[in-house]
Amino acid sequence: MRRIAFWSPKGGVGKTTLALNFAAAAYYAGNKVILCDLDPQRSAFDVFAGRRLPFTVLADKPQVMPNVDYLICDYAPSLDRLPEEETIILPMRASMLDLRAVNRAIRLIRNKRIIKCVNAVDTRRHDERMIAMKLYNEGAHLIKDRSIYVRSIFDGETVFQQNKYGSSDAQNEIRRLLDRVEHPRTLTAKAS
Ligand SMILES: Nc1ncnc2c1ncn2[C@@H]1O[C@H](COP(=O)(O)OP(=O)(O)OP(=O)(O)O)[C@@H](O)[C@H]1O
Ligand SMILES: [Mg+2]
């Protein structure tokens, strides 16, 4: 079983959005998937439980380890509860403030694989593009700013259940993130 944390000390960077879509990518690739919502805000659990998601969403970690391929945890934006999972996907925005906060937070984590995921990148903005490219060259994954991510949540779905403008590009970039997890090719991200 692979245990994946979506964790970041910063709020509103896309932890829940990416955790949900990553869970869907893993499910449609043929895996058994459970998503655990560890945020007291209960965003993933409240909005999606009982809706059209093809995988189970729990309001906490299960007491007994389930027999699944992926246990995916959506963390609160906090340094109080550090992730226990062996792979951490760390969403961030392409900004210097995020970069500094993320690099400080990474120093608290030991012996885990960390994949920085620069989310909602607006490639039309020069400064954002420059930071995103720097991080990409250091091994980060990039996810573009796409209204389909907002729209699908509004519909109680993931981008994998949508057939609207931008959905196939969004599906592809989430699938590439899944591929990064399944086939490690870069070193664990380091604080710099
Ligand atoms: N790639 C993207 N493109 C466009 N909008 C996005 C993208 N990713 C996330 N968003 C939007 O950004 C907002 C914040 O996303 P989300 O709630 O997933 O962040 P979060 O890190 O889980 O927040 P919190 O720290 O409050 O738990 C939401 O409105 C979401 O729809
Ligand atoms: Mg969240």
Side-chain angles (χ1 to χ4, degrees):
M1 178 175 68
R2 291 180 198 269
R3 299 187 312 150
I4 317 289
F6 283 79
W7 174 79
S8 166
K10 299 281 276 185
V13 289
K15 295 177 292 298
T16 302
T17 303
L18 296 179
L20 282 158
N21 284 291
F22 184 93
Y27 171 83
Y28 287 115
N31 297 290
K32 278 195 215 160
V33 177
I34 288 182
L35 176 65
C36 308
D37 185 350
L38 307 183
D39 187 345
Q41 294 178 99
R42 291 282 167 267
S43 305
F45 186 74
D46 284 349
V47 180
F48 293 97
R51 305 283 283 272
R52 275 169 279 178
L53 291 183
F55 50 84
T56 306
V57 184
L58 301 178
D60 207 339
K61 286 191 196 182
Q63 302 281 327
V64 180
M65 267 310 147
N67 181 20
V68 292
D69 302 302
Y70 275 92
L71 190 74
I72 299 167
C73 296
D74 177 22
Y75 277 79
S78 164
L79 291 170
D80 294 342
R81 189 172 182 183
L82 296 178
E84 294 159 350
E85 292 67 33
E86 47 283 335
T87 300
I88 300 167
I89 296 176
L90 204 160
M92 59 187 290
R93 294 292 168 102
S95 85
M96 287 314 289
L97 292 177
D98 274 43
L99 192 51
R100 291 197 184 115
V102 158
N103 284 338
R104 259 197 310 275
I106 283 177
R107 294 191 192 111
L108 302 172
I109 309 284
R110 296 269 177 270
N111 302 322
K112 310 267 186 197
R113 182 170 177 231
I114 300 174
I115 302 172
K116 287 179 187 167
C117 186
V118 191
N119 185 32
V121 179
D122 183 346
T123 49
R124 294 164 304 180
R125 299 184 57 163
H126 179 261
D127 52 341
E128 221 175 296
R129 202 170 62 237
M130 289 299 115
I131 295 173
M133 286 317 294
K134 174 186 179 304
L135 287 160
Y136 176 77
N137 289 331
E138 293 169 3
H141 189 75
L142 303 190
I143 301 279
K144 284 194 184 170
D145 180 6
R146 299 183 194 278
S147 52
I148 192 72
Y149 287 111
V150 184
R151 177 60 198 260
S152 55
I153 286 180
F154 182 80
D155 291 343
E157 295 182 343
T158 70
V159 297
F160 289 85
Q161 295 145 296
Q162 299 257 318
N163 190 18
K164 299 192 179 81
Y165 177 77
S167 58
S168 63
D169 289 333
Q171 290 167 14
N172 285 337
E173 63 190 358
I174 298 287
R175 271 197 214 100
R176 284 197 293 274
L177 182 59
L178 177 69
D179 192 55
R180 288 282 300 272
V181 168
E182 296 194 339
H183 306 104
R185 59 185 160 84
T186 49
L187 296 172
T188 300
K190 289 195 184 74
S192 54

